[in-house]
Amino acid sequence: MLDRNSIAKRIAQELQDGWYVNLGIGIPTLIANYIPEGISVEFQSENGILGMGPFPFDGEEDADLINAGKQTITAMSGASIFDSATSFAMIRGQHIQLTVLGAMEVAQNGDIANWKIPGKLVKGMGGAMDLVASADNIIVAMMHTNRKGKSKLLKRCSLPLTGVGCVKKIVTNMAVLDIVEGGFKLIERAPGVSIEEIIAATEGHLIVEGDIPEMTF
Amino acid sequence: MLDRNSIAKRIAQELQDGWYVNLGIGIPTLIANYIPEGISVEFQSENGILGMGPFPFDGEEDADLINAGKQTITAMSGASIFDSATSFAMIRGQHIQLTVLGAMEVAQNGDIANWKIPGKLVKGMGGAMDLVASADNIIVAMMHTNRKGKSKLLKRCSLPLTGVGCVKKIVTNMAVLDIVEGGFKLIERAPGVSIEEIIAATEGHLIVEGDIPEMTF
Amino acid sequence: MNKIVANAEEAIQGIQDDMTLMLGGFGLCGIPENAITALVETGVTGLTCISNNAGVDDFGLGLLLQKRQIKKMVSSYVGENAEFERQMLSGELEVDLIPQGSLAERCRAGGAGIPAFFTPAGYGTEIAEGKEVRMFNGKPHILEMALTADFAIVKAWKGDRMGNLVFKGTARNFNPVMAMAGKITIAEVEELVEPGELDPNTIHTPGIFVQRIFQGEKYEKRIEQRTVRQKEA
Amino acid sequence: MNKIVANAEEAIQGIQDDMTLMLGGFGLCGIPENAITALVETGVTGLTCISNNAGVDDFGLGLLLQKRQIKKMVSSYVGENAEFERQMLSGELEVDLIPQGSLAERCRAGGAGIPAFFTPAGYGTEIAEGKEVRMFNGKPHILEMALTADFAIVKAWKGDRMGNLVFKGTARNFNPVMAMAGKITIAEVEELVEPGELDPNTIHTPGIFVQRIFQGEKYEKRIEQRTVRQKEA
């Protein structure tokens, strides 16, 4: 089973040179630590910056420079700043090549639920609904099962949706899966995880064709 | 009868301190020369400047600083520059307090035609349709009759419309008129012009109530 | 043209019970601190506040929530505030959650005289309930309406008496679009400068969108999530 | 990230017959002079050009008109060009006239993923024919569609290899909104600068909207209506 950092590291392999990337809060944020060598990408934060850099050194924080998670950040050379409408013009207008975010549930048709649990306090969707409805290329980074051991890869989402039919790829602690016509297609297994274990942990329809290689790092 | 400059001068009396004003090509442009003392207004040009100043001195022209008539201009202290979408956000969003433009015809219901003559070459409406459809306060500056002596204040426009029911006030070489329910209400006469002459030059319904004073300058 | 008012108290004159306000800022970054403090002091109540977030318990809009001056929040994310939770769960506070991009675009639309537009955000979710759906380019979109406010209150870095504003860093966020959408827009700035000091080419919000401007007395600029890395040895 | 290409010829690679182009500029102010010259040299034809104006006889888009490379113009005002008139009257050239504000907003919408929006401009005129009309706030509006282009070609003052752009004066005009709406956006600049030289706070067009950038060989920057006043004695 992968830990959070390894999930991030595996997703980082999907990055291509020159891409603009929006990373959600949680595991996706860690991806910035694993950019493959020779690849240059720019991170967008939807509160209004392109070219987001690493966290500042202690004592160098700037209250006027934060990311969408409200954390203090730095700006890379060549960064640009813009207002919220322009930021979502980039997102909605599909100028971002990759969006990575977490989820509570993903359905085999690409539906995603990650903002609301009935009966629990709702904090809001932030930019998630705009991101999932707009992006051409969405990867979900999450654990394969929830804390109770229940699968998060479902036939149909049980929670209120964030977006419909939008997820293209999922990287979990157990596997890499593509969403294809008919279900979750198993692409890679986490080191040491068997196909049987993945089948058992996947409630939705899992498509297993041919050899399924282990992930390599 | 007023000349073009006097029409501009009369319209300038309508300006109020602090207003943002968009002036069309022709007579409206001349208004900038007659701003009453003690009044400060800002001129917007829809190609993307607020705080447009006078023409530059000979030899000081800047190819990167023009107005919507493509003339070289200057920028006042406190001016701002913006793109075309933001410029029309100001116009459409009714942030401009006064729009003055010329017309070929105005109808007694406030319709205006100023962009197209069937059978003649059409150059385009430029920003006129956005301006007339959006502005709360539109004054038309024009001659009362055309070159053939035909009235330009009509029951109904005969030319293709630029906008419907939008003109509020007209200042011609003969009169100041408000558009009210039922027709053109005569407000002022040009010096030496009689009510009878105005009636004769107005094809649309002219409302004459009480004493009609002469314009004062 | 001189839009300068003496202070926050004077700037917020005319804000009355049950009005709708827009307030710039993302989290605590770029919020109009001084105007919020002045609003708390007036005791004005029944406010509808359009703001991406709702502050924290003891700062930003949290200060208005503490005094129960807000009737309704229109936001995309409101998660950092215990008093907010209490009022929402008890039904004292109405909350209208809007996808962040739709919120930003609806404010811009309100300022730009665009009464409604289509967006894909929220299609197929509860956000789309009751909204018109239409296909464009083979993809479903929903119709969203413009937002405007009786007063918009924004915070900029620098400004001049014409109302021209310049923002700094990600403190820009919702401020420029909300400045466009207020019937009356109040701008508080860290520094008032003379007209002409701001380069016309680098003004973010042209003065036409601002009716009142003042220099804030002080700025705490509190950081919500101080996150740092250590210098490597 | 390096989007710099050697010159105009390299920048316009891939522009083919019958494509749709957006070209920034207002009159002759802020037009991509070098890219236009390169387009003339390729002989590409059947172009649909979305541009507020159509240049003059011997400059700007007039050069493409002379060579009959343009099939259709989408503009708000096209009045300064005898060759244009001739082609339009003879039916060789199709012309789609659009209110200037709707043109600007339709480009922005195309870039911002807004497929359609309502505007009051053109209601009750022939522009509204065949378009949906709807009342908002007691006022009729028409539904306008987003515009996009195979290539957008813009001209900026300065730019860097990330594609970040800064414009000067009213040469900004349509350039930023068209930069957003091109599937591929080409920017020509008067000066290429190193990343970091442009203040992130004052960038007009973030690099994400630009795919190729080059420094133009020379800029004539012709003035269409030189208008001056005399110094008083």
Side-chain angles (χ1 to χ4, degrees):
Chain A
M1 303 273 193
L2 304 184
D3 61 10
R4 291 160 52 90
N5 278 297
S6 300
I7 294 175
K9 206 168 168 181
R10 174 60 191 83
I11 294 174
Q13 295 175 9
E14 304 289 319
L15 296 174
Q16 291 184 23
D17 193 40
W19 273 9
Y20 292 94
V21 179
N22 182 294
L23 301 178
I25 294 168
I27 299 173
T29 303
L30 302 171
I31 294 169
N33 301 329
Y34 301 104
I35 304 168
E37 250 182 81
I39 293 237
S40 155
V41 298
E42 289 266 298
F43 294 110
Q44 196 243 24
S45 191
E46 64 266 27
N47 58 318
I49 181 169
L50 201 64
M52 181 170 43
F55 298 127
F57 289 119
D58 199 355
E60 295 177 3
E61 315 91 81
D62 178 354
D64 292 330
L65 209 52
I66 65 168
N67 65 16
K70 285 135 194 165
Q71 297 170 306
T72 43
I73 55 162
T74 55
M76 305 289 280
S77 171
S80 56
I81 305 277
F82 33 84
D83 64 48
S84 299
T86 304
S87 183
F88 282 90
M90 292 174 189
I91 291 167
R92 212 187 297 102
Q94 304 195 324
H95 302 277
I96 309 268
Q97 278 77 33
L98 176 63
T99 296
V100 187
L101 72 179
M104 299 167 180
E105 299 178 346
V106 177
Q108 64 194 34
N109 67 347
D111 288 359
I112 177 172
N114 72 350
W115 79 286
K116 186 175 182 177
I117 300 174
K120 288 209 179 172
L121 188 78
V122 182
K123 295 191 168 188
M125 70 294 284
M129 282 192 183
D130 307 273
L131 282 160
V132 301
S134 306
D136 246 348
N137 187 14
I138 300 176
I139 300 180
V140 166
M142 64 177 190
M143 296 297 154
H144 211 98
T145 54
N146 67 18
R147 282 172 198 179
K148 294 176 183 162
K150 270 199 63 182
S151 179
K152 296 170 75 171
L153 289 80
L154 307 175
K155 285 195 175 59
R156 294 184 55 160
C157 291
S158 67
L159 296 171
L161 295 182
T162 307
V164 297
C166 48
V167 176
K168 304 285 188 294
K169 190 183 278 288
I170 307 161
V171 178
T172 74
N173 53 333
M174 300 182 79
V176 177
L177 311 101
D178 281 351
I179 297 214
V180 298
E181 191 62 40
F184 301 104
K185 182 168 181 190
L186 186 58
I187 305 294
E188 293 175 17
R189 298 172 290 122
V193 174
S194 69
I195 292 177
E196 290 65 34
E197 286 172 295
I198 296 167
I199 292 174
T202 306
E203 191 249 14
H205 183 62
L206 189 74
I207 301 169
V208 184
E209 286 175 5
D211 257 11
I212 309 297
E214 277 194 3
M215 299 176 201
T216 55
F217 289 94
Chain B
M1 302 272 193
L2 303 184
D3 62 8
R4 291 159 53 89
N5 278 296
S6 299
I7 293 175
K9 206 168 168 183
R10 174 60 191 81
I11 294 174
Q13 294 176 9
E14 304 289 320
L15 296 174
Q16 291 183 22
D17 193 39
W19 272 9
Y20 292 93
V21 179
N22 182 293
L23 301 178
I25 294 168
I27 299 173
T29 303
L30 302 171
I31 294 170
N33 300 328
Y34 301 104
I35 305 167
E37 252 184 78
I39 294 238
S40 155
V41 297
E42 289 266 299
F43 294 110
Q44 195 241 26
S45 191
E46 64 266 27
N47 58 316
I49 181 169
L50 202 64
M52 180 171 43
F55 298 127
F57 290 119
D58 199 356
E60 294 179 4
E61 316 90 81
D62 178 354
D64 291 331
L65 209 52
I66 65 167
N67 65 17
K70 286 133 192 167
Q71 298 170 305
T72 44
I73 55 161
T74 56
M76 306 288 281
S77 171
S80 56
I81 304 277
F82 33 85
D83 65 47
S84 300
T86 304
S87 183
F88 282 90
M90 293 175 189
I91 291 166
R92 213 187 296 100
Q94 304 195 322
H95 302 277
I96 310 270
Q97 277 78 31
L98 175 64
T99 297
V100 187
L101 74 178
M104 299 167 182
E105 298 178 346
V106 177
Q108 64 193 35
N109 68 347
D111 288 359
I112 177 171
N114 72 350
W115 79 285
K116 187 176 183 177
I117 301 175
K120 287 208 181 172
L121 189 78
V122 182
K123 295 188 168 188
M125 70 294 283
M129 283 192 182
D130 308 272
L131 282 159
V132 301
S134 306
D136 247 349
N137 188 15
I138 300 175
I139 300 180
V140 166
M142 66 177 188
M143 295 298 153
H144 211 97
T145 55
N146 66 19
R147 282 172 199 181
K148 294 176 183 161
K150 271 198 63 181
S151 179
K152 296 170 76 172
L153 288 82
L154 307 174
K155 288 195 172 60
R156 295 184 55 160
C157 290
S158 66
L159 296 170
L161 296 182
T162 307
V164 297
C166 47
V167 177
K168 303 286 189 292
K169 189 183 277 291
I170 307 162
V171 179
T172 74
N173 53 332
M174 300 182 79
V176 176
L177 310 103
D178 281 350
I179 296 211
V180 299
E181 189 67 37
F184 301 106
K185 182 170 183 189
L186 185 59
I187 305 295
E188 292 175 18
R189 295 172 292 122
V193 174
S194 70
I195 292 178
E196 290 66 34
E197 286 173 295
I198 297 166
I199 293 174
T202 306
E203 192 249 16
H205 184 61
L206 188 74
I207 301 169
V208 184
E209 285 176 5
D211 257 10
I212 309 297
E214 279 195 2
M215 300 176 199
T216 55
F217 289 95
Chain C
M1 214 169 267
N2 187 356
K3 301 174 178 178
I4 297 174
V5 295
N7 51 36
E9 291 66 42
E10 196 179 325
I12 63 165
Q13 288 296 318
I15 297 184
Q16 291 165 7
D17 290 355
D18 301 315
M19 276 189 169
T20 296
L21 311 183
M22 282 183 185
L23 297 110
F26 189 101
L28 302 180
C29 182
I31 60 172
E33 300 184 17
N34 291 275
I36 290 171
T37 303
L39 277 173
V40 171
E41 280 161 18
T42 63
V44 62
T45 186
L47 298 173
T48 294
C49 290
I50 303 172
S51 165
N52 189 56
N53 313 93
V56 295
D57 276 318
D58 61 343
F59 200 60
L61 288 183
L63 298 172
L64 285 166
L65 285 163
Q66 271 185 12
K67 294 282 182 73
R68 299 194 174 75
Q69 292 173 270
I70 301 177
K71 182 179 67 184
K72 181 178 178 180
M73 283 298 309
V74 179
S75 306
S76 87
Y77 193 82
V78 291
E80 333 285 4
N81 196 315
E83 175 61 17
F84 183 97
E85 292 186 19
R86 198 199 58 69
Q87 290 184 25
M88 185 162 77
L89 291 171
S90 71
E92 287 168 66
L93 181 68
E94 234 180 296
V95 179
D96 188 3
L97 291 170
I98 296 180
Q100 194 175 130
S102 297
L103 179 61
E105 191 67 15
R106 289 174 68 182
C107 292
R108 180 190 176 276
I114 303 287
F117 60 89
F118 285 95
T119 174
Y123 168 76
T125 76
E126 61 183 55
I127 295 304
E129 280 168 24
K131 288 178 184 158
E132 179 180 337
V133 173
R134 198 180 294 194
M135 299 295 286
F136 293 97
N137 311 314
K139 198 171 153 176
H141 291 72
I142 62 176
L143 186 67
E144 291 281 8
M145 298 293 154
L147 287 170
T148 57
D150 296 308
F151 283 82
I153 311 179
V154 303
K155 189 262 168 180
W157 182 41
K158 293 183 179 180
D160 64 25
R161 63 177 160 81
M162 328 287 286
N164 293 310
L165 303 179
V166 168
F167 304 91
K168 187 160 153 280
T170 57
R172 193 181 319 179
N173 56 62
F174 280 84
N175 283 297
V177 290
M178 289 182 170
M180 294 169 73
K183 288 192 195 76
I184 295 174
T185 292
I186 300 164
E188 64 170 79
V189 298
E190 291 182 50
E191 191 188 347
L192 270 174
V193 302
E194 288 301 311
E197 279 189 51
L198 302 176
D199 177 353
N201 290 296
T202 64
I203 287 167
H204 296 125
T205 292
I208 194 170
F209 295 123
V210 174
Q211 280 68 50
R212 303 175 190 172
I213 187 168
F214 70 98
Q215 185 171 308
E217 207 169 289
K218 64 176 178 63
Y219 286 96
E220 179 179 338
K221 300 217 270 187
R222 196 186 291 187
I223 293 175
E224 208 163 340
Q225 304 282 343
R226 189 177 302 272
T227 313
V228 298
R229 64 190 154 133
Q230 299 307 319
K231 283 199 171 120
E232 281 159 44
Chain D
M1 215 168 269
N2 187 355
K3 300 175 179 178
I4 296 175
V5 295
N7 51 37
E9 291 66 43
E10 196 179 325
I12 63 165
Q13 289 296 318
I15 297 184
Q16 291 166 7
D17 290 354
D18 302 315
M19 277 190 167
T20 296
L21 310 184
M22 281 183 187
L23 297 111
F26 188 101
L28 301 179
C29 182
I31 60 171
E33 299 184 17
N34 291 275
I36 290 171
T37 303
L39 278 173
V40 171
E41 279 162 17
T42 63
V44 61
T45 186
L47 298 173
T48 294
C49 290
I50 303 172
S51 167
N52 189 55
N53 313 93
V56 294
D57 275 318
D58 62 342
F59 200 60
L61 288 183
L63 299 171
L64 286 165
L65 285 164
Q66 270 185 12
K67 294 282 184 72
R68 299 196 174 72
Q69 292 174 272
I70 301 178
K71 182 178 67 184
K72 181 179 179 179
M73 283 298 310
V74 180
S75 305
S76 86
Y77 192 82
V78 291
E80 332 285 3
N81 198 314
E83 175 62 18
F84 183 96
E85 293 186 18
R86 198 199 58 69
Q87 289 184 26
M88 187 162 76
L89 292 172
S90 71
E92 287 168 64
L93 182 68
E94 234 181 297
V95 180
D96 188 1
L97 291 170
I98 297 179
Q100 193 174 130
S102 297
L103 179 62
E105 190 68 16
R106 289 174 67 183
C107 293
R108 180 191 176 276
I114 303 288
F117 60 89
F118 284 96
T119 174
Y123 168 75
T125 76
E126 62 183 56
I127 296 306
E129 281 168 22
K131 289 177 183 160
E132 178 178 340
V133 174
R134 197 180 293 196
M135 300 295 286
F136 294 95
N137 311 313
K139 198 172 152 176
H141 292 71
I142 62 176
L143 186 67
E144 291 282 8
M145 299 292 154
L147 287 170
T148 57
D150 297 307
F151 283 83
I153 311 179
V154 303
K155 188 260 167 181
W157 181 40
K158 293 183 179 180
D160 65 24
R161 63 176 159 80
M162 329 286 286
N164 293 310
L165 303 180
V166 169
F167 303 91
K168 184 159 153 281
T170 57
R172 193 182 318 179
N173 56 64
F174 280 84
N175 283 297
V177 290
M178 288 183 170
M180 295 169 72
K183 288 192 195 76
I184 295 175
T185 292
I186 300 163
E188 62 170 80
V189 299
E190 291 182 49
E191 193 189 345
L192 270 174
V193 302
E194 288 303 310
E197 279 189 51
L198 302 177
D199 176 354
N201 290 296
T202 65
I203 287 167
H204 296 126
T205 292
I208 193 170
F209 295 122
V210 174
Q211 280 68 48
R212 303 175 189 171
I213 187 167
F214 71 98
Q215 185 171 308
E217 207 169 288
K218 66 177 177 59
Y219 286 95
E220 179 180 337
K221 300 218 268 186
R222 195 185 293 186
I223 293 175
E224 210 163 339
Q225 303 282 344
R226 188 178 302 272
T227 312
V228 297
R229 65 188 153 137
Q230 300 307 320
K231 283 198 172 122
E232 281 160 44

